[in-house]
Amino acid sequence: MSVRQHFPPGEPVSVGTLLAEVTAIPDDGPLTFGDERLRDFLGAVSRRLLKPSVMRRHPELGALGFFLRPSELSRVLEGAAEHSDDRLRFPRGLVFHIPPANVDTVFVYSWALSALAGNANVVRLSTRGGGASSVILQVLHNALDQADPAVAQTQRLVGYERSDATTEALSAACDLRVVWGGDASVTAIRRHRLRPPARDLTFPDRSSLAAISVNGWHAAGPDRRRAAVDGFVNDAYWFDQAACSSPRTLFWVGEPTAAADARRQFEDLLAEAVTARGFSVDAAMAVEKHVAAYGMAATGDASAIRFRGNTIATLDLTEPARLPRRWLGAGTFACAVIDDLDDLIPLITRKDQTLSTFGFPPATLRDFAAGAGARGIDRVVPFGSALSFAAIWDGYDLLREFSRVMTISPGGSL
């Protein structure tokens, strides 16, 4: 069993050698929670990702660079820190990450937070990574030149063809296994046993929704409407709408006649924004969208279908409860009108992750969150923020998940 070493770059090594190297204590001391060596390295990565030349080619890497800024990492650490005289936080140990293939940047967020917590990490990279993955790897290589040697020793990004034996060996050695992907992928990985003290942190199939207040839309000025649509385009079209937090169903909340007028305005602006941003859908994707859309009509889930070229498809749901939770193709949106945002609560399931919103008062959103939280939904965000990764994701406080707490009871002291 051997793996290819993508970071730091090197010759293929056996799994046994990899594990021995990555878990050895660095010469200048073991990693700690909030380790400065890792913070300095992640800061150097951030500066390189935020260069205009990088962000112009891959705008999603600008969001990643912003997340990795030293000030942002300090804020995240302060939120999770529990150091006191009787409570100390430590790394978990070795973390094995299996990120998804459909979102190039997810592996960095997952790995970076685990490294920030002081863990040694092995990340299996997909062979289907896109252009952004190559840029990220080059940035990591460049930042390594001035990094502490502990970074290269304890942090490894590797690749290997599908191999149960390799996954089994890495799973058996880790203290925490982080699995991103569909339900089938999570189930398949769970066949590989962990040591009794170890555990899984899984991110299976999720779906996301969007809601627009009809009153809020009509009250907004032209600039605010256009900004909302631009944000919606980012949420939906980056990663071909395949990210778990990209909205697939859009609810118009308000009186039906006013909703129809607002929807026409919204879809006109959406078409303009998609064209201006240069998003396109190839012929194969267009065929897939047609098949999915007409399939919903055939099953009685959709009462009307409209296409604007290959980039935008909208479906009128026969009733809100028939909202699709599967991916229908990039730029496909199921739509429904409801009277009140709370009408959405009975439709929410545990599979629902993010609700993107526009035009609602904060109190309305808080009331909705309080009512929906027991059923599902982990995030309520404004348009344009659906893909903004945060240290709390899918309801997990990741920095706390990537660490452990030691408590000290002083009862025996003098």
Side-chain angles (χ1 to χ4, degrees), residues 42-101:
L42 294 175
V45 171
S46 171
R47 290 190 293 274
R48 286 166 170 80
L49 290 174
L50 290 174
K51 289 183 177 179
S53 59
V54 174
M55 292 193 293
R56 277 195 300 269
R57 285 185 295 151
H58 298 282
E60 67 272 28
L61 297 187
L64 175 60
F66 187 87
F67 180 83
L68 295 177
R69 291 178 310 150
S71 59
E72 180 66 14
L73 296 183
S74 294
R75 186 189 66 79
V76 171
L77 281 168
E78 289 169 3
E82 294 189 23
H83 277 63
S84 63
D85 289 342
D86 58 358
R87 190 178 291 256
L88 302 176
R89 187 167 287 276
F90 293 94
R92 283 198 175 273
L94 175 63
V95 181
F96 176 33
H97 305 255
I98 306 175

Side-chain angles (χ1 to χ4, degrees), residues 398-410:
L398 294 181
L399 210 55
R400 292 176 187 266
E401 297 290 335
F402 289 141
S403 58
R404 63 184 181 87
V405 174
M406 176 193 293
T407 58
I408 306 169
S409 298

